[in-house]
Amino acid sequence: MTAPLTPPHQQPPDDDAWQNSAHPGSGPGVPVREEGPAMKAELRDAVIAAVAVAVTGVLLGLLWVWLAPRVPLIADDKAVFLKDTEGEEAIGADGTFILLALGFGVVCGTIVFLLRRRGGIPLVAGLAVGGLLGSWLAWRVGVWLGPTQDVVAAARAAGKGVVFDAPLKLNAKGALLAWPVAAMGAHLGLTALFGPRDPEPWPPTEL
């Protein structure tokens, strides 16, 4: 004689099936993501992007020195004056820096997207930090390579009544944010339009 069989609807629950249903990400056929190596790769890419973007600030500084309008000064025996008190050269220098920084930001954001399409928060953060450092470096390079900061010495060298250039300055310090904002905007926009999409979830199977 054999033991009576238990009807299918009274079978005891399968422990393995319960564990798989409780942890759907660990069942058979489901790939396991390796968060550690993936995060390390994202952080490495973010650091590389930040350094590469920051270094290009030297080029921005050179272009700023070359393209920014000069503020003309003139001196007499007592003081140094603006040659044209209604001139807009000082505003033009800030505007030139902002336009160049916006262009650099768009280009850098596009290049980083093309090289690393998967994106990620660390990469965007690295892009922003690199843009801010690049703006600061460009500002300092422009001031260093521009007309001398010693106005008194420049006035003496030019002579009485002779026009000379004022030091290159960035009066609107908020212009330093133009590069990182443009870089993040370009990268996020391209990611939203052309970035990889998550796969559609499988429809639930009917039991």
Side-chain angles (χ1 to χ4, degrees):
M1 296 180 61
T2 59
L5 301 177
T6 304
H9 65 276
Q10 296 181 2
Q11 289 287 343
D14 187 358
D15 293 341
D16 294 338
W18 181 86
Q19 291 177 2
N20 290 337
S21 62
H23 304 281
S26 60
V30 178
V32 178
R33 292 185 58 189
E34 297 182 0
E35 296 293 342
M39 180 58 67
K40 290 181 180 179
E42 289 184 3
L43 292 176
R44 183 190 64 242
D45 293 344
V47 172
I48 294 174
V51 174
V53 171
V55 169
T56 57
V58 176
L59 179 58
L60 175 58
L62 294 175
L63 290 175
W64 186 42
V65 173
W66 180 34
L67 298 176
R70 297 290 187 264
V71 178
L73 299 178
I74 192 170
D76 56 14
D77 294 333
K78 297 181 179 180
V80 178
F81 305 94
L82 289 170
K83 182 177 182 297
D84 184 5
T85 56
E86 297 181 357
E88 298 180 354
E89 289 84 2
I91 299 176
D94 289 358
T96 301
F97 187 94
I98 292 174
L99 291 177
L100 289 173
L102 290 175
F104 271 66
V106 172
V107 171
C108 290
T110 302
I111 292 175
V112 170
F113 170 77
L114 294 177
L115 295 178
R116 293 291 184 270
R117 286 180 177 269
R118 65 177 180 270
I121 295 178
L123 188 62
V124 176
L127 190 61
V129 172
L132 186 60
L133 292 175
S135 293
W136 180 86
L137 184 60
W139 169 39
R140 302 317 304 170
V141 168
V143 171
W144 178 49
L145 296 180
T148 178
Q149 298 293 307
D150 193 344
V151 177
V152 175
R156 291 175 179 174
K160 180 181 177 181
V162 178
V163 177
F164 62 97
D165 294 331
L168 187 59
K169 293 182 179 180
L170 188 63
N171 297 305
K173 298 303 185 293
L176 298 175
L177 299 176
W179 188 342
V181 170
M184 288 191 299
H187 187 275
L188 293 176
L190 291 172
T191 301
L193 293 175
F194 306 108
R197 298 291 189 270
D198 293 333
E200 294 293 335
W202 291 96
T205 57
E206 296 182 358
L207 299 177

